[in-house]
Amino acid sequence: MAKAVDKQAELKLLYDMLSIRRFEEKAQQQYQMQKIGGFLHLYIGQEAVAVGSVAGCEHRDYIITAYRDHGHALARGMGMNEAMAEIFGKSTGCSKGLGGSMHYFDKKNNMMGGHAIIGQHLPLATGFAFAARYRGEDRVVLAYMGDGAINIGSFHEALNLAGLYRLPVIFICENNQFSMGTAVSRSNPLKEIVNRGAGYDMKSLVMDGMDVRAVRETIADISTKIRTNPEPYWVECRTYRYRGHSMSDPGNYRTKEELEKHKKDDPITNFSATLIKEGLLTDEEYKKMDAEIKALAAESVKFAEASPEPDVSTLHDYTSVVTDPNYQPLPTTPEIKTQNPFHC
Amino acid sequence: MAKAVDKQAELKLLYDMLSIRRFEEKAQQQYQMQKIGGFLHLYIGQEAVAVGSVAGCEHRDYIITAYRDHGHALARGMGMNEAMAEIFGKSTGCSKGLGGSMHYFDKKNNMMGGHAIIGQHLPLATGFAFAARYRGEDRVVLAYMGDGAINIGSFHEALNLAGLYRLPVIFICENNQFSMGTAVSRSNPLKEIVNRGAGYDMKSLVMDGMDVRAVRETIADISTKIRTNPEPYWVECRTYRYRGHSMSDPGNYRTKEELEKHKKDDPITNFSATLIKEGLLTDEEYKKMDAEIKALAAESVKFAEASPEPDVSTLHDYTSVVTDPNYQPLPTTPEIKTQNPFHC
Amino acid sequence: MQMREITYRQALNEALAEELDRDQNVFLMGEEVAQYNGAYKISQGLLDRFGPKRVIDTPIAEAGFAGLGLGASMVGLRPIVEFMTFSFSLVAFDQLVNNAPNMLTMSGGQFHCPIVFRGPNGPAHQLGATHMHATECLFANFPGLRVVIPSTPRDAKGLLKASVRDDNPVIFQEVEMLYSSKGLVEPPMPDFDLVIPLGKANVSREGTDLTVLSYGRTMPMALRAAEEVAKAHGLHVEVIDLRSIKPLDLETILNSVAKTHRVVVAEQGRPFCGIGSELTFQIQEHAFDELDAPIARVSMDEVCMPYSEVLEHAALPSEEKIVAAIKATCGL
Amino acid sequence: MQMREITYRQALNEALAEELDRDQNVFLMGEEVAQYNGAYKISQGLLDRFGPKRVIDTPIAEAGFAGLGLGASMVGLRPIVEFMTFSFSLVAFDQLVNNAPNMLTMSGGQFHCPIVFRGPNGPAHQLGATHMHATECLFANFPGLRVVIPSTPRDAKGLLKASVRDDNPVIFQEVEMLYSSKGLVEPPMPDFDLVIPLGKANVSREGTDLTVLSYGRTMPMALRAAEEVAKAHGLHVEVIDLRSIKPLDLETILNSVAKTHRVVVAEQGRPFCGIGSELTFQIQEHAFDELDAPIARVSMDEVCMPYSEVLEHAALPSEEKIVAAIKATCGL
Ligand SMILES: Cc1ncc(C[n+]2csc(CCOP(=O)(O)OP(=O)(O)O)c2C)c(N)n1
Ligand SMILES: Cc1ncc(C[n+]2csc(CCOP(=O)(O)OP(=O)(O)O)c2C)c(N)n1
Ligand SMILES: [Mg+2]
Ligand SMILES: [Mg+2]
């Protein structure tokens, strides 16, 4: 029985990673056919990070990331249809076609957005954790960023605040070795990215971002701990991006050999092989799963194409909200005064 | 002979610290008499830091600090007259009365300013070091900040850049235990401020900011090293401010006992006692020195009072400069191409 | 109802206390707001009354705690974030102008940010080039932000309470030079819940010869200037306190212009792309034929702010400059 | 002299190369400017030609490297700092608007900052709410900053070279949508040293019926709109390219208004406290009696920028909108 449950969970890891891969391959193709505008940053190669970490936490936990956000959104349960429609700029998109590839939001799944200005989402992450603590909820926050994001001011302010107020945020640096064309050794003076946590006396560790199980276990571990004993963690997650930074990047800053070497670590290939070896999956089943997922991806393009453009008459509808006239304030009660969740 | 030289240098340390103390006592008095506007932040208690560190480096080295800047300017050789005239807003002030207490600048002494927005001067410090390296000059930079400044974004960006480009900047955190009314333990999660350097793999150390000789020696040591092998240092300097944050602060966040305890570490009292003990100074000489300095401070008030206000007709003269028509560009020479001082 | 005379500072303090009391989702955060009771004592007594969960000291990390507030607002809290002055909000600028207003659009309407950023703004006295920024026009440039600037204790209280209850990000800008000024205000809660809707200008003085449009720091100057030209020249000057820059109460402005046909804008800030220029555009757009003379503005001079008192005075708007502009616009 | 047809991108690249070559004190710094040859390839080939001391990649730390540049400029270097886009300059805002312009004043004239901040600015195509900020009015609000925006390859080259030689901080804003546009430009150094002084507007098209004031991205739209109303309605529209927002060439503007008596501003940015509002203030201040109709502006809509192509198009200024504004202002 335990075995059966495990099997489903393990297969879901694979399914989710494969979904991201196939979805993005489709998106890439659509971009090349010029059906998509703006920027498109693919997550291909890094799927184990989003999938493993989301599997390692609870649905009520908030997640937030930068602009390379398709993987996190899909891992969190967003459907391919709304994801694809978003990059088509259609009103059926996850952000109604107003956000685009860099701004996937999914409130029902506690996916708090893709965010396009480097580092500026990290203070928001501390705010979610703050709110959870404020309300006495045992939610934690997963805040993802690239290796290029750790050098900007708001990164620092967020980590410092999280440490000071002991906020339950897992800061996950997806170290894919490059910030655009800049190798990670050329953007900071650190021997290892994990060292950055020491500047905040923050618990820090490295995880293998190509191993979905390792990621899941690490995050499960940390989130269990900080759910009851809130404090932030700094996690360097070593991974690799197989595509260019965005669709316009030919990737001249790395050799073909380097890329091929990293492709040997492919989180999907390796994990499916493991599952097969463990007898949890057959070759046949894998092919069937892949076909199913590819069909969904193809379907999402049709859905996006068939979806309506946002109505031009709605142009002014998303700049301000009408204040909710039915809002119910929560009067102050005496016991709150004595609470001190932020240790100030 | 060596002894004689030493004696002069030792006495100068005392003289400079005492100058800062007496100058600021005068400034405080003038502020209370409402002869001075704006903010006034006194350095009293921290004199050993500016005096010791300036003594530990060369005149060609750049120094830059925040708004609590009188001590650094005077230690660097600014006269009391131009210092006092500045806070009187007079045209004879070090910044022509345009800067005020928070913006002391002294180009001839490589004092690159007091700067009033927390942390925003630290990137400038990296720029001075960058320029020195760019030109092949063996200058180093002393960049001072408060303990409250280490939590803001530009602090982080400056340290990261300095580490990455191996810039010869000594980042000196004057940990006077408070950022306004906020005790240092309430503004960051660190057990010790010195730990912050670890987040940059930066060489880090603590120095006793109440001991002028210790400060001098430490800075002399570091600056000698990095003058030839450029790299930044992170230095926590433990000190204490005896007055309120600014003139409007009664200091209710600390007890009288705490203050009194720290006054036992007075850098001036202790160092003069040491000099007397070592036979380098007599009680008599000390009194004479103090009287002389007090006279200079009193004189500076007279100077400031007698000085003219800036002419209103000059109001528009400091917003833009006229581009120098005689500027001589330095044509590119072939060998520059191969230089790589920033290791990029 | 018995009106009381209280200071602008006290009015703000009451507004904070009443909103904190009314709604647990409201909290106050900023540098020195708790144990120090506020750099300008606006939050005096609030830590004692509401405890350390609701009134929270921050490190010097404006972008960090502004963003923390925004994140908390996205999930339903209603933060009030104090900047010690809005000059320091410039280091948090991206959070304020990018994250705050855009969240609603970027998320396709899923998330909005009911948050107030508040603190003193604009020139005070001899604080020099870096500490006296009038930032209202910078924020007003960004769609999605409300910009509110009270000039009286009553407005300070009523507009702040309205701002806290608004579901959009509000930039609430106070006037340091007015913190100790006094005015009549209704009794505090539970007796009276003073909420002044955003977006309604106030005709602070009626007149028929010329309209002075102002807000915040220059309002008292404008009123004194109006008195002076009344006495000296028999001019009937109408003075309008905009109270909120955004939303802008164009209707009240145009009604006045239709009556007076002459306008002077008195603003605390820099002229270029400032509030005066926007008011001028909108007035001439909608009431071109009503104008009998060019609109004049009294603003900061086009200079970096000097510390020297005499230069500062020369650079800042003043009653005398407003009087001169009124006279010139009336052809006197 | 043989003019060549080159792109706006190439023109910028030449300007950088020529100034780097001319003066060792000049260096170029920014994200991806060196090894990657620039996110938009403006710095193509410069690392190869000038080496890693002069062309320097930075981490993502806009406030840090903007400040580094400012510090270097204070001691006599002449940095050119690239922002990948000016939308990212918002995280470095304090360095740009506080440190850069104020250094001269705060130091009583001892230090000035000969530095250029450059990069694309304003709306591009479908980059969404955070990546398309038109920041010119924000910077233009601050005394002490120059704000320069070229719309042609020739201006791009000549104005950039002038900016590098200016002793003041210059905000040099390029137009991503024009990077591949072509135009005639004089031969490169050593044959010709193309330096176009800052602060001189260009009458790009002469006319007598109405003046369109524009710059940057909307300039080509304005020129096409002028052609269209010429053909369709026989209107003679004068089109002025401001080229620099600060200093502003008011003389050229007023000369035109004295001739046409009607003005439309076409700007890429947000309307409220934008460039159009400032131009309107200054024109009515100096030429009130010359105006036969209210000044109209064509700007972004007052909305946060949506990603959707159709909504984006609806929100942005366009040739059609300029045509409509011209016709309305001429009473057609
Ligand atoms: C403040 C800011 N500066 C610059 C950019 C442009 N930019 C977008 S992505 C990127 C590289 C980020 O690299 P990294 O953080 O490693 O993430 P990855 O792309 O590898 O996922 C840059 C420079 C930006 N979006 N925001
Ligand atoms: C960005 C910014 N935020 C807030 C302030 C207001 N402020 C001025 S001094 C100060 C405290 C600084 O403390 P610390 O860095 O420890 O220096 P100290 O006063 O002890 O010398 C604060 C909050 C400021 N000047 N700049
Ligand atoms: Mg990366
Ligand atoms: Mg301190």
Side-chain angles (χ1 to χ4, degrees):
Chain A
M1 162 88 198
K3 186 75 195 272
V5 172
D6 279 353
K7 180 174 169 182
Q8 288 319 308
E10 301 304 287
L11 289 178
K12 186 170 182 332
L13 292 180
L14 180 63
Y15 186 95
D16 286 354
M17 290 197 291
L18 207 50
S19 294
I20 296 170
R21 177 82 45 106
R22 298 308 179 216
F23 172 81
E24 289 205 325
E25 285 167 355
K26 255 299 171 238
Q28 173 172 17
Q29 181 203 60
Q30 297 299 305
Y31 192 94
Q32 282 156 344
M33 293 164 70
Q34 299 188 3
K35 300 239 191 106
I36 297 174
F39 291 143
L40 187 69
H41 307 89
L42 301 180
Y43 195 60
I44 291 176
Q46 303 180 216
E47 295 91 341
V49 185
V51 170
S53 56
V54 163
C57 69
E58 304 290 331
H59 186 265
R60 67 179 176 283
D61 297 335
Y62 297 110
I63 72 167
I64 187 168
T65 187
Y67 50 87
R68 197 179 298 284
D69 57 356
H70 309 155
H72 308 80
L74 292 173
R76 243 315 152 87
M78 183 183 287
M80 284 197 201
N81 283 359
E82 38 175 342
M84 190 62 80
E86 186 59 31
I87 43 184
F88 273 69
K90 296 301 182 70
S91 63
T92 52
C94 60
S95 299
K96 293 209 167 75
L98 304 181
S101 162
M102 303 195 288
H103 303 123
Y104 276 20
F105 283 80
D106 189 2
K107 190 172 184 175
K108 66 184 174 313
N109 286 315
N110 295 313
M111 158 61 181
M112 309 303 285
H115 292 267
I117 306 295
I118 299 289
Q120 304 311 305
H121 63 302
L122 301 174
L124 302 178
T126 65
F128 310 145
F130 178 95
R133 296 287 300 141
Y134 192 91
R135 291 179 168 133
E137 300 167 342
D138 68 344
R139 306 187 197 220
V140 310
V141 179
L142 271 55
Y144 305 85
M145 76 207 79
D147 49 286
I150 68 168
N151 309 307
I152 198 159
S154 55
F155 162 88
H156 176 66
E157 300 190 13
L159 266 76
N160 189 68
L161 287 169
L164 178 65
Y165 298 141
R166 299 191 215 161
L167 301 176
V169 184
I170 311 178
F171 293 101
I172 302 173
C173 179
E174 301 195 44
N175 180 1
N176 63 6
Q177 318 299 331
F178 289 96
S179 165
M180 292 192 69
T182 303
V184 63
S185 64
R186 296 179 59 241
S187 64
N188 68 71
L190 293 168
K191 279 176 218 76
E192 311 221 316
I193 294 297
V194 67
N195 296 0
R196 185 127 287 175
Y200 312 92
D201 281 353
M202 194 180 288
K203 290 185 183 151
S204 306
L205 48 88
V206 178
M207 66 184 180
D208 177 356
M210 304 308 258
D211 179 347
V212 67
R213 280 176 171 165
V215 173
R216 180 183 57 186
E217 258 82 274
T218 307
I219 297 301
D221 227 53
I222 300 174
S223 61
T224 305
K225 278 189 195 133
I226 69 177
R227 209 177 288 288
T228 41
N229 289 312
E231 68 176 317
Y233 265 74
W234 172 240
V235 180
E236 177 191 352
C237 186
R238 302 212 175 125
T239 179
Y240 202 79
R241 104 171 118 65
Y242 293 165
R243 298 292 190 272
H245 166 73
S246 69
M247 293 299 296
S248 65
D249 167 25
N252 297 331
Y253 42 83
R254 56 185 178 189
T255 61
K256 226 185 157 120
E257 291 70 47
E258 177 184 334
L259 181 56
E260 288 312 317
K261 194 192 102 208
H262 282 282
K263 283 196 176 166
K264 296 222 178 77
D265 299 331
D266 191 315
I268 295 175
T269 318
N270 289 356
F271 187 56
S272 60
T274 305
L275 290 179
I276 289 168
K277 213 167 65 197
E278 291 177 355
L280 295 171
L281 181 74
T282 65
D283 223 15
E284 198 68 353
E285 282 166 348
Y286 177 72
K287 281 189 186 126
K288 207 178 132 233
M289 182 191 284
D290 194 21
E292 191 181 297
I293 289 169
K294 277 182 171 152
L296 285 175
E299 174 55 36
S300 77
V301 171
K302 287 205 191 110
F303 174 82
E305 284 180 327
S307 290
E309 302 279 354
D311 195 319
V312 174
S313 71
T314 64
L315 175 60
H316 287 259
D317 293 356
Y318 295 92
T319 295
S320 298
V321 283
V322 177
T323 294
D324 178 4
N326 298 317
Y327 175 77
Q328 292 299 331
L330 210 65
T332 294
T333 49
E335 74 278 8
I336 304 175
K337 203 185 133 167
T338 58
Q339 299 170 358
N340 190 0
F342 310 119
H343 312 272
C344 353
Chain B
M1 160 90 198
K3 187 73 195 272
V5 172
D6 279 353
K7 180 175 169 179
Q8 287 320 307
E10 301 306 286
L11 290 178
K12 185 170 183 329
L13 292 180
L14 180 63
Y15 187 94
D16 286 353
M17 289 198 291
L18 207 50
S19 294
I20 297 170
R21 177 81 46 106
R22 298 308 179 217
F23 171 81
E24 289 205 325
E25 285 167 353
K26 256 294 172 241
Q28 173 171 17
Q29 180 203 61
Q30 297 299 304
Y31 192 93
Q32 283 156 344
M33 292 164 72
Q34 299 187 3
K35 300 238 192 109
I36 296 174
F39 290 143
L40 188 68
H41 306 89
L42 301 181
Y43 196 61
I44 290 177
Q46 304 179 214
E47 294 92 342
V49 184
V51 169
S53 56
V54 163
C57 69
E58 304 290 331
H59 186 265
R60 68 179 175 284
D61 297 335
Y62 297 111
I63 72 168
I64 187 168
T65 187
Y67 49 87
R68 197 179 298 285
D69 57 357
H70 310 156
H72 308 81
L74 293 173
R76 244 312 152 88
M78 183 183 287
M80 284 195 201
N81 283 359
E82 38 176 344
M84 190 63 80
E86 187 58 31
I87 43 184
F88 274 70
K90 296 301 182 71
S91 63
T92 52
C94 59
S95 299
K96 293 209 168 74
L98 304 181
S101 161
M102 303 196 288
H103 303 123
Y104 275 21
F105 283 80
D106 189 1
K107 191 172 184 175
K108 66 183 176 313
N109 286 315
N110 294 313
M111 158 60 181
M112 309 303 284
H115 292 267
I117 306 295
I118 299 291
Q120 304 311 306
H121 63 301
L122 300 174
L124 301 178
T126 65
F128 309 146
F130 178 95
R133 297 286 301 139
Y134 192 92
R135 292 179 168 131
E137 300 168 342
D138 69 344
R139 305 188 197 220
V140 310
V141 178
L142 271 54
Y144 304 86
M145 76 207 79
D147 47 288
I150 68 168
N151 309 308
I152 198 160
S154 55
F155 161 87
H156 176 65
E157 299 189 14
L159 267 75
N160 189 68
L161 286 168
L164 177 66
Y165 298 140
R166 300 192 214 162
L167 301 175
V169 183
I170 312 178
F171 293 101
I172 302 173
C173 179
E174 301 195 45
N175 180 1
N176 63 6
Q177 318 299 331
F178 288 97
S179 164
M180 294 192 67
T182 304
V184 63
S185 63
R186 296 179 60 241
S187 64
N188 67 71
L190 293 168
K191 279 175 217 76
E192 311 222 314
I193 293 298
V194 68
N195 296 1
R196 186 128 285 177
Y200 312 92
D201 282 353
M202 194 179 288
K203 290 185 183 152
S204 305
L205 47 87
V206 178
M207 67 184 180
D208 177 357
M210 304 308 259
D211 179 346
V212 68
R213 280 176 170 165
V215 173
R216 180 183 58 187
E217 258 82 273
T218 306
I219 297 300
D221 226 53
I222 300 173
S223 61
T224 306
K225 279 189 195 134
I226 69 177
R227 208 178 288 287
T228 41
N229 289 311
E231 67 175 318
Y233 265 74
W234 172 240
V235 181
E236 178 191 352
C237 186
R238 303 214 173 126
T239 179
Y240 203 80
R241 105 172 118 64
Y242 293 166
R243 297 293 191 272
H245 166 73
S246 70
M247 294 299 296
S248 65
D249 167 25
N252 298 331
Y253 42 83
R254 57 184 178 189
T255 61
K256 225 180 159 130
E257 291 70 48
E258 176 184 334
L259 182 57
E260 288 312 317
K261 194 192 99 207
H262 281 283
K263 284 196 175 165
K264 296 222 178 76
D265 299 331
D266 190 317
I268 296 176
T269 317
N270 289 356
F271 187 56
S272 60
T274 304
L275 290 180
I276 289 168
K277 213 166 65 197
E278 292 176 352
L280 294 172
L281 182 74
T282 65
D283 224 15
E284 198 67 357
E285 282 166 347
Y286 177 71
K287 281 189 186 127
K288 204 174 137 236
M289 182 191 284
D290 195 21
E292 191 181 298
I293 289 169
K294 278 182 171 153
L296 285 176
E299 173 56 36
S300 76
V301 171
K302 288 207 190 108
F303 174 82
E305 283 181 328
S307 290
E309 302 280 355
D311 195 319
V312 174
S313 71
T314 64
L315 175 60
H316 287 259
D317 293 355
Y318 295 92
T319 296
S320 299
V321 281
V322 177
T323 295
D324 177 5
N326 298 318
Y327 175 76
Q328 291 301 328
L330 210 66
T332 294
T333 49
E335 74 278 8
I336 303 174
K337 203 185 132 166
T338 59
Q339 298 170 358
N340 190 0
F342 310 119
H343 312 272
C344 347
Chain C
M1 200 168 34
Q2 194 59 47
M3 301 288 273
R4 306 158 301 146
E5 191 172 63
I6 61 173
T7 62
Y8 187 100
R9 173 183 285 110
Q10 176 64 20
L12 292 166
N13 182 267
E14 279 186 6
L16 293 174
E18 291 180 11
E19 293 307 299
L20 282 163
D21 195 42
R22 175 176 179 264
D23 188 359
Q24 283 186 33
N25 287 325
V26 176
F27 67 89
L28 174 68
M29 170 169 252
E31 292 157 13
E32 311 293 341
V33 298
Q35 291 194 10
Y36 199 79
N37 288 292
Y40 295 98
K41 305 301 166 203
I42 306 304
S43 54
Q44 183 80 50
L46 298 181
L47 172 63
D48 261 12
R49 183 156 163 211
F50 296 99
K53 180 170 123 177
R54 313 278 308 282
V55 182
I56 303 141
D57 279 328
T58 65
I60 307 172
E62 280 81 0
F65 65 76
L68 187 157
L70 280 166
S73 80
M74 286 171 71
V75 295
L77 296 187
R78 306 184 77 86
I80 304 172
V81 173
E82 175 172 313
F83 292 120
M84 200 176 280
T85 92
F86 267 95
S87 287
F88 309 149
S89 77
L90 299 177
V91 300
F93 200 61
D94 192 79
Q95 290 292 340
L96 297 188
V97 302
N98 231 349
N99 274 349
N102 288 334
M103 206 63 74
L104 186 70
T105 292
M106 295 190 303
S107 69
Q110 293 178 79
F111 292 101
H112 64 280
C113 300
I115 188 168
V116 176
F117 297 102
R118 53 155 289 276
N121 170 59
H125 189 56
Q126 281 200 276
L127 302 186
T130 54
H131 271 54
M132 313 230 296
H133 292 294
T135 58
E136 55 271 30
C137 62
L138 307 175
F139 295 115
N141 180 246
F142 286 84
L145 293 178
R146 306 199 183 293
V147 181
V148 179
I149 308 183
S151 82
T152 68
R154 185 171 183 276
D155 284 355
K157 180 168 182 185
L159 292 170
L160 181 49
K161 283 165 59 87
S163 298
V164 174
R165 298 185 194 182
D166 199 286
D167 279 351
N168 297 283
V170 178
I171 307 291
F172 187 91
Q173 304 194 310
E174 302 155 11
V175 183
E176 186 192 325
M177 305 300 282
L178 298 179
Y179 276 154
S180 298
S181 67
K182 289 184 174 171
L184 293 177
V185 180
E186 285 83 349
M189 293 270 274
D191 294 330
F192 194 81
D193 190 17
L194 178 65
V195 179
I196 299 175
L198 308 184
K200 297 297 293 170
N202 190 36
V203 181
S204 302
R205 184 184 199 278
E206 293 199 26
T208 49
D209 292 330
L210 179 143
T211 303
V212 176
L213 299 175
S214 189
Y215 59 90
R217 179 181 164 138
T218 45
M219 265 304 296
M221 299 176 194
L223 289 169
R224 288 197 305 270
E227 288 302 324
E228 191 176 320
V229 293
K231 275 201 213 107
H233 306 282
L235 286 176
H236 302 283
V237 169
E238 181 144 310
V239 181
I240 293 181
D241 185 346
L242 298 175
R243 301 207 287 197
S244 87
I245 304 294
K246 243 191 184 174
L248 183 68
D249 184 359
L250 189 60
E251 192 185 328
T252 299
I253 295 169
L254 293 179
N255 285 342
S256 181
V257 174
K259 187 167 62 167
T260 63
H261 311 293
R262 291 183 148 80
V263 181
V264 167
V265 179
E267 61 183 342
Q268 63 176 357
R270 292 175 283 263
F272 205 100
C273 293
I275 304 303
S277 60
E278 179 61 26
L279 293 171
T280 300
F281 180 85
Q282 294 203 27
I283 292 169
Q284 64 92 45
E285 182 183 29
H286 294 101
F288 186 74
D289 293 325
E290 297 287 357
L291 287 172
D292 287 347
I295 299 174
R297 66 181 170 198
V298 178
S299 324
M300 273 187 192
D301 265 36
E302 177 72 20
V303 295
C304 299
M305 199 50 55
Y307 166 75
S308 143
E309 190 167 25
V310 294
L311 293 183
E312 178 182 279
H313 181 76
L316 288 179
S318 63
E319 186 183 328
E320 302 82 62
K321 289 183 186 176
I322 299 171
V323 166
I326 292 172
K327 285 168 61 182
T329 302
C330 288
L332 296 181
Chain D
M1 197 167 37
Q2 193 60 46
M3 300 288 273
R4 305 158 302 147
E5 190 172 63
I6 62 173
T7 61
Y8 188 100
R9 173 182 285 108
Q10 176 64 19
L12 292 167
N13 182 267
E14 279 185 7
L16 293 174
E18 290 180 11
E19 293 307 300
L20 282 163
D21 195 44
R22 174 176 180 265
D23 188 359
Q24 282 185 35
N25 288 325
V26 176
F27 67 90
L28 174 68
M29 171 168 251
E31 292 157 14
E32 311 294 339
V33 298
Q35 291 194 10
Y36 198 80
N37 287 292
Y40 295 97
K41 306 300 166 203
I42 306 304
S43 54
Q44 184 80 48
L46 298 181
L47 172 64
D48 261 12
R49 182 156 163 211
F50 296 100
K53 180 171 123 175
R54 313 278 308 283
V55 182
I56 303 141
D57 279 329
T58 66
I60 307 172
E62 280 81 0
F65 65 76
L68 187 158
L70 280 167
S73 80
M74 285 171 71
V75 295
L77 296 187
R78 306 184 78 85
I80 304 172
V81 173
E82 174 172 314
F83 292 119
M84 199 176 281
T85 92
F86 267 96
S87 287
F88 309 149
S89 78
L90 299 177
V91 300
F93 201 61
D94 191 79
Q95 290 292 340
L96 298 189
V97 302
N98 231 350
N99 274 350
N102 288 335
M103 206 63 75
L104 185 71
T105 293
M106 295 191 302
S107 70
Q110 293 178 80
F111 292 100
H112 64 281
C113 300
I115 188 168
V116 176
F117 296 102
R118 53 155 289 276
N121 170 59
H125 189 54
Q126 281 201 274
L127 302 186
T130 54
H131 271 54
M132 313 231 295
H133 292 293
T135 58
E136 55 272 31
C137 63
L138 307 174
F139 295 116
N141 180 245
F142 286 84
L145 293 178
R146 305 199 184 293
V147 180
V148 178
I149 307 183
S151 83
T152 68
R154 184 169 184 277
D155 284 355
K157 181 168 181 183
L159 293 171
L160 181 50
K161 284 166 58 88
S163 298
V164 174
R165 298 185 194 182
D166 199 285
D167 280 351
N168 298 283
V170 179
I171 307 292
F172 187 91
Q173 304 194 312
E174 302 155 11
V175 183
E176 186 193 326
M177 304 300 281
L178 297 179
Y179 276 154
S180 298
S181 67
K182 290 183 173 173
L184 293 177
V185 180
E186 286 83 349
M189 292 271 273
D191 295 329
F192 194 81
D193 190 17
L194 177 64
V195 179
I196 300 175
L198 308 185
K200 296 296 294 170
N202 191 34
V203 180
S204 302
R205 184 184 199 279
E206 294 200 25
T208 49
D209 293 330
L210 179 143
T211 303
V212 176
L213 299 175
S214 190
Y215 59 90
R217 178 181 166 139
T218 45
M219 265 303 295
M221 298 176 195
L223 288 170
R224 288 196 305 269
E227 288 302 324
E228 192 177 318
V229 294
K231 275 201 214 108
H233 306 283
L235 286 177
H236 301 283
V237 170
E238 181 145 308
V239 181
I240 292 181
D241 185 346
L242 298 176
R243 300 207 287 197
S244 86
I245 304 294
K246 245 192 183 173
L248 182 68
D249 184 359
L250 190 58
E251 194 185 328
T252 298
I253 295 170
L254 293 179
N255 285 342
S256 182
V257 175
K259 187 167 64 166
T260 64
H261 311 292
R262 290 183 148 80
V263 180
V264 167
V265 179
E267 61 183 342
Q268 63 177 357
R270 291 175 284 263
F272 205 100
C273 293
I275 304 302
S277 60
E278 180 61 25
L279 293 171
T280 300
F281 180 86
Q282 294 203 26
I283 292 169
Q284 65 92 44
E285 182 182 30
H286 294 100
F288 185 75
D289 293 326
E290 297 287 358
L291 287 172
D292 288 346
I295 299 175
R297 66 181 170 199
V298 177
S299 323
M300 272 186 193
D301 265 36
E302 177 73 19
V303 294
C304 299
M305 198 50 55
Y307 166 75
S308 143
E309 190 167 24
V310 294
L311 293 184
E312 179 183 278
H313 181 76
L316 287 179
S318 63
E319 186 184 328
E320 302 82 62
K321 289 183 186 177
I322 299 171
V323 167
I326 292 172
K327 285 167 60 182
T329 303
C330 288
L332 296 180

